[in-house]
Amino acid sequence: MKAMMKGMNDEMAAMTMSGNADVDFAKMMRIHHVGALDMAQAHLKEGKDPAMLKLAKEIIAAQKKEIAFMDKFIATHPHPPAKAAK
């Protein structure tokens, strides 16, 4: 789980910002949601507690729906990366 969190955080930190708050939010949150999806799927393989397994399944369903929404938003709101300050 820590490796998944580190990978997600590294990817978010490396993301080039566009300067458009809506697009940047959607792109960052997409990375975050994919990380949550990966963690929940890993939990389904290793977890034992029925309540946590149920939660992992609910997280997977919700995150997939939200990722699809963000993908659509990003695709319909292209924005070039912000120009670096000189």
Side-chain angles (χ1 to χ4, degrees):
M1 296 281 178
K2 281 191 172 189
M4 289 179 201
M5 287 292 294
K6 182 177 180 337
M8 178 188 68
N9 287 332
D10 290 349
E11 187 176 350
M12 287 172 61
M15 190 186 99
T16 301
M17 303 302 281
S18 71
N20 178 315
D22 296 322
V23 171
D24 293 341
F25 175 75
K27 287 182 174 183
M28 281 262 188
M29 287 305 295
R30 186 187 189 289
I31 295 167
H32 185 268
H33 279 44
V34 169
L37 188 65
D38 291 344
M39 290 175 69
Q41 290 170 335
H43 183 74
L44 288 180
K45 294 177 184 172
E46 301 291 330
K48 305 282 187 258
D49 185 272
M52 288 295 102
L53 292 168
K54 181 178 183 282
L55 178 61
K57 289 176 185 176
E58 291 169 356
I59 288 170
I60 290 167
Q63 300 299 305
K64 283 183 176 182
K65 182 178 177 183
E66 292 174 9
I67 290 167
F69 176 83
M70 287 180 273
D71 283 345
K72 187 174 182 180
F73 180 86
I74 293 164
T76 59
H77 294 82
H79 201 279
K83 295 192 182 201
K86 291 184 181 186

